Amino acid sequence: MVRVAALATDGLEEIELTAPRAALEKAGATVTIISLRAGEFQAVNKDIYPSHNIWADLAIVGANPNDYDALLLPGGLASPDALRMNKDVVAFVRAFVKANKPIAAICHGVQTLIEVNELKGRTVTSCPAIRTDLENAGATWVDSDVVVDGPYVFSRCPADIPAFNKAMLKHFKLS
């Protein structure tokens, strides 16, 4: 069984976690939601409208990257920004990068990879708002629904979730 860690906190774009999580679980994976603290956090819809509370199974301080086979980095404006500023999150993501484990990032979720200095020479996609940030980190940004580069799957936005899920399941060896 494939064990997937999903990193998110307040300001998560809800559909960018819930839809991939449902696809992963339907394919037989186990998904653990890891946040800055265990318990509830506030998701949003369309980056600004409060939606549902999401339950974090585990706080990042108690998370061990060796317990997971793959990583999901959903977006939203606030969640990735808060996550990338946390040293434990950065260390957790860095461990996936060093182990060459598959990582799927949608929308702003890719920002955490900037913090681990992993995007130089990579081809990526994301929401257009962070194109310059990604290019400044050394990536080549393209406007595509899905980009696969090495151990990474990238996607732009909620409209791309069907293509993202299909590519993620294949990349995580679930289809």
Side-chain angles (χ1 to χ4, degrees):
M1 176 178 308
V2 175
R3 301 161 301 163
V4 179
L7 291 176
T9 194
D10 294 313
L12 157 80
E13 183 69 35
E14 182 176 355
I15 194 71
E16 293 177 6
L17 172 64
T18 58
R21 179 185 187 184
L24 288 162
E25 289 175 344
K26 184 178 180 186
T30 299
V31 180
T32 301
I33 298 174
I34 302 169
S35 190
L36 299 178
R37 63 189 184 288
E40 289 186 338
F41 62 89
Q42 180 66 58
V44 296
N45 183 19
K46 297 184 181 172
D47 288 322
I48 58 171
Y49 302 105
S51 67
H52 297 96
N53 286 336
I54 303 290
W55 185 263
D57 303 302
L58 191 61
I60 190 65
V61 294
N64 182 345
N66 295 322
D67 293 341
Y68 304 97
D69 306 302
L71 179 61
L72 172 62
L73 299 171
L77 288 173
S79 177
D81 201 45
L83 292 172
R84 71 190 283 200
M85 298 302 295
N86 182 284
K87 65 178 177 53
D88 296 317
V89 169
V90 173
F92 188 84
V93 174
R94 185 173 282 123
F96 277 82
V97 169
K98 285 186 177 184
N100 206 37
K101 292 181 182 181
I103 298 173
I106 186 168
C107 197
H108 286 77
V110 69
Q111 287 179 307
T112 309
L113 292 170
I114 293 171
E115 294 305 313
V116 298
N117 200 24
E118 176 50 23
L119 297 176
K120 188 172 186 174
R122 298 281 181 189
T123 300
V124 304
T125 196
S126 68
C127 66
I130 61 172
R131 175 184 182 166
T132 301
D133 299 326
L134 295 167
E135 290 175 341
N136 287 340
T140 299
W141 188 89
V142 296
D143 187 13
S144 179
D145 59 353
V146 173
V147 171
V148 177
D149 186 336
Y152 304 103
V153 174
F154 303 103
S155 202
R156 296 177 299 201
C157 63
D160 297 332
I161 287 174
F164 177 69
N165 285 350
K166 183 177 179 183
M168 175 185 61
L169 293 176
K170 182 178 180 184
H171 209 64
F172 289 3
K173 300 190 184 335
L174 289 164
S175 67

